[in-house]
Amino acid sequence: MSLAAVLLSMAASAADIIVKVEYNGNSAVVTIPAAASGYVSNLNGESSHVKLLQSSTTTKNPGEIIYQLSGESDNGEFYLTGEYKATLQLNGLTLANPDSTAIHIKDGKRIKVSMTANTVNTLSDGVADSTSKGCFHCKGHTEFVGKGTLNVSSSFNHAIYSKEYVTVKNCTINVTGAKKDGIHCQEYCLISSGEVNISGVEDDGIQVELKDSVATGQTLNHEDENSGNFYMTGGTVAINEIGGYCIKAYGSITMTGGNQNFDTSNIKDHATTAINAIVNSKSGNRQYYDLNGRRMPNDAMLPRGIYIVKEGDRTRKIVVK
């Protein structure tokens, strides 16, 4: 077989694991390719309330599947259950569910949510049910990526809820309203690039909890981390018109880069109330940052305020009075 034929075959194989969901009012067309037909089942036919099942008992897992969502519905939802990593590709989607959450992922593995470049995707919800905790609700690790935009609002709970960690890279997320938090997650939250804009929420802008009572603290590359920490290393976060804290974390809040377009005094973490003394060490291995991520001089020259201290792989917060 020629190289061109091999490349064509590889491209075809990649295309075969894209499950397409196209919304149109009260109906949706779900296209499941042959390679995934024994693994992915459509439980709701042509209904706009799409429910898909990934089953590990019917056939061998064909590999990570991309679920591509597009179109519009003001009476629909996307519900996915299973136990394998998956990618959710939002490709110009406008989805509102008057009865419950708009997107509900009942899969405890890594879920990558990719916004197709230059697309705008909008999610909204309606009356709460007993199982949903947000307009976007994910049981697993949630990684927001891509170069498109996601708009989310919730009339009954959090706008975005993840039972495990949340990371944001490159994409733009606009939370335009929520009954509770704008983004609520467990384990940790990391914003490395992109934009997060949150306004009109009745509780916290971003809240990070521990997943359970056993905390790991910060781990190398955040592998299996359960710290309750919030990290910001780049990008832009803008938060306004909220009812609670801009950022609230059970662990620590560390911002070493990016643009913080919010009231950085309106944050709360588990460590803040426990630190009352000035740290007077002049160790050359320590680096000091203000809450806007700007590098500061050594601690002998620090004015009054709250600062982040980085020493090797460890970070902590100090209060200079």
Side-chain angles (χ1 to χ4, degrees):
M1 182 181 291
S2 68
L3 177 59
V6 170
L7 293 175
L8 183 62
S9 176
M10 291 173 63
S13 298
D16 281 344
I17 59 171
I18 298 178
V19 173
K20 294 184 178 181
V21 180
E22 299 176 79
Y23 290 89
N24 184 11
N26 290 323
S27 65
V29 176
V30 179
T31 304
I32 301 174
S37 61
Y39 179 70
V40 179
S41 302
N42 178 10
L43 304 182
N44 272 25
E46 296 183 358
S47 169
S48 56
H49 289 261
V50 176
K51 295 190 175 182
L52 301 183
L53 169 66
Q54 292 182 145
S55 174
S56 61
T57 60
T58 58
T59 189
K60 182 180 178 181
N61 176 11
E64 182 166 344
I65 292 176
I66 298 172
Y67 296 88
Q68 185 184 88
L69 278 58
S70 62
E72 299 184 17
S73 175
D74 59 4
N75 182 24
E77 69 176 311
F78 180 78
Y79 181 98
L80 174 68
T81 184
E83 53 187 42
Y84 291 98
K85 293 179 180 179
T87 293
L88 193 65
Q89 185 181 81
L90 306 186
N91 189 31
L93 172 71
T94 299
L95 186 61
N97 185 359
D99 300 320
S100 182
T101 190
I103 292 181
H104 196 161
I105 310 297
K106 292 282 288 184
D107 184 334
K109 300 299 183 181
R110 191 271 292 141
I111 303 298
K112 184 175 291 185
V113 183
S114 177
M115 274 66 76
T116 301
N118 303 316
T119 65
V120 176
N121 306 275
T122 302
L123 306 175
S124 58
D125 60 24
V127 180
D129 64 25
S130 60
T131 61
S132 178
K133 294 185 178 181
C135 179
F136 176 95
H137 179 154
C138 183
K139 182 181 178 182
H141 315 306
T142 310
E143 299 179 357
F144 292 99
V145 299
K147 294 187 177 180
T149 299
L150 173 63
N151 302 319
V152 190
S153 63
S154 176
S155 62
F156 72 87
N157 214 316
H158 311 301
I160 294 173
Y161 173 84
S162 176
K163 194 175 180 180
E164 298 181 356
Y165 67 70
V166 162
T167 63
V168 177
K169 184 177 181 179
N170 294 328
C171 60
T172 297
I173 297 176
N174 299 317
V175 173
T176 58
K179 189 69 176 178
K180 294 187 178 178
D181 301 331
I183 298 176
H184 187 109
C185 64
Q186 300 185 43
E187 293 187 346
Y188 68 91
C189 179
L190 168 62
I191 298 174
S192 59
S193 60
E195 294 185 27
V196 176
N197 303 298
I198 299 173
S199 64
V201 303
E202 296 185 27
D203 205 341
D204 303 316
I206 300 174
Q207 184 178 155
V208 188
E209 292 187 308
L210 290 177
K211 186 176 181 181
D212 50 48
S213 59
V214 180
T216 63
Q218 184 177 354
T219 65
L220 185 64
N221 297 323
H222 306 292
E223 201 63 35
D224 298 320
E225 179 173 331
N226 181 36
S227 62
N229 291 347
F230 173 86
Y231 308 97
M232 184 174 178
T233 61
T236 298
V237 174
I239 304 174
N240 58 76
E241 298 178 9
I242 59 173
Y245 293 98
C246 290
I247 299 174
K248 182 178 180 180
Y250 185 89
S252 64
I253 297 172
T254 303
M255 296 180 285
T256 57
N259 301 308
Q260 291 80 39
N261 295 335
F262 56 87
D263 181 1
T264 54
S265 67
N266 186 29
I267 62 176
K268 179 179 176 61
D269 65 22
H270 187 70
T272 301
T273 56
I275 299 175
N276 298 309
I278 301 175
V279 176
N280 291 315
S281 171
K282 298 182 178 59
S283 170
N285 294 325
R286 288 179 180 162
Q287 299 174 2
Y288 295 84
Y289 299 86
D290 66 13
L291 294 183
N292 290 317
R294 293 174 297 194
R295 180 75 181 273
M296 304 298 291
N298 65 57
D299 52 344
M301 302 173 62
L302 291 177
R304 294 174 60 183
I306 301 174
Y307 299 93
I308 302 299
V309 181
K310 184 177 181 181
E311 188 172 10
D313 294 330
R314 300 181 61 188
T315 58
R316 56 196 176 90
K317 184 176 293 183
I318 64 169
V319 177
V320 176
K321 297 182 178 180

